[in-house]
Amino acid sequence: MKHPVIGIPCCRWWLKESQFFHLVGEKYVRAAVGAGGLPLLLPALGEATPLEQMLELVDGLLFTGSPSNIEPHHYGAASVDGDFNDPERDATTLPLIRAAIDAGVPVLGICRGFQEINVALGGTLHRKVHEEPGMSDHRDPGGTLDEMYALAHPVRFVDGGVLQALTGRSEAQVNSLHGQGIARLAPALQAEAHAPDGLVEAFSVKGARGFALAVQWHPEWQYQDNPLSLAILEAFGKACAARRDRRG
């Protein structure tokens, strides 16, 4: 049986020799494989993106993390000097998210992808969570990769929510590598997990026609060793496989 095709929208970065590159971190590609899928990298074409045709190519979409931040004007805030943005990715993913949810295409968002879904549906972001009153510092501690991705704090799952159903648990420890976070949750979203300081760490889309979950942490990192990560990827993969089967 064919693997479900999992589309992964690319970042578009200026790397060298006055050239742009479309790229995705390998850990996300491997996580898509771990979910049982065949990864398909989708270029950041911006306003030239043929949304309907792109959705016809895939059985699910994985919106990844990235060092870049969403341009603030997308959620009604002013630009910040020195911020690392990726406008072509924004112009690709934000409308693609809305189209995918409308079409019932399974969606999983991670870190930046989590924030993209919130912004695409009308939510806003804290640009520096650690500077907000009462909030903790959610940035990575630096050091080696193992130290950066080490479990950092607990998240508590919403009673009766998606994550509680997937795991049979009420909370879990997660890593934390983000400077930005949700300020106002979009009306179409419902919280699925919170950090100890109250920050929304996971959400689902209310009444979605397909799987639609996003998390602020990084389940793709060494997912095979983490029961929560495996549960998320397995559920996403099953939803993608179901769409493949429906489409024949």
Side-chain angles (χ1 to χ4, degrees), residues 68-198:
S68 69
N69 293 318
I70 300 166
E71 287 194 305
H73 72 83
H74 290 293
Y75 51 93
S79 298
V80 178
D81 290 341
D83 197 13
F84 177 28
N85 301 130
D86 189 342
E88 290 301 304
R89 171 166 169 162
D90 294 344
T92 303
T93 57
L94 299 182
L96 184 60
I97 286 165
R98 293 187 285 265
I101 291 172
D102 287 346
V105 176
V107 168
L108 175 61
I110 295 174
C111 197
R112 189 194 207 273
F114 165 89
Q115 296 169 9
E116 284 173 333
I117 295 172
N118 185 52
V119 170
L121 299 181
T124 64
L125 302 177
H126 293 305
R127 285 183 285 185
K128 294 183 178 181
V129 173
H130 57 284
E131 294 184 358
E132 294 296 322
M135 290 294 185
S136 301
D137 190 342
H138 289 255
R139 296 173 296 177
D140 73 76
T144 66
L145 284 175
D146 285 340
E147 291 169 337
M148 290 171 60
Y149 284 91
L151 299 179
H153 63 74
V155 292
R156 186 159 188 85
F157 302 150
V158 171
D159 289 342
V162 173
L163 290 174
Q164 190 178 75
L166 288 179
T167 65
R169 299 164 60 185
S170 60
E171 65 176 46
Q173 290 284 329
V174 298
N175 51 42
S176 188
L177 296 90
H178 61 101
Q180 301 195 337
I182 288 182
R184 185 183 72 246
L185 192 64
L189 303 176
Q190 56 192 11
E192 295 288 348
H194 296 89
D197 60 6

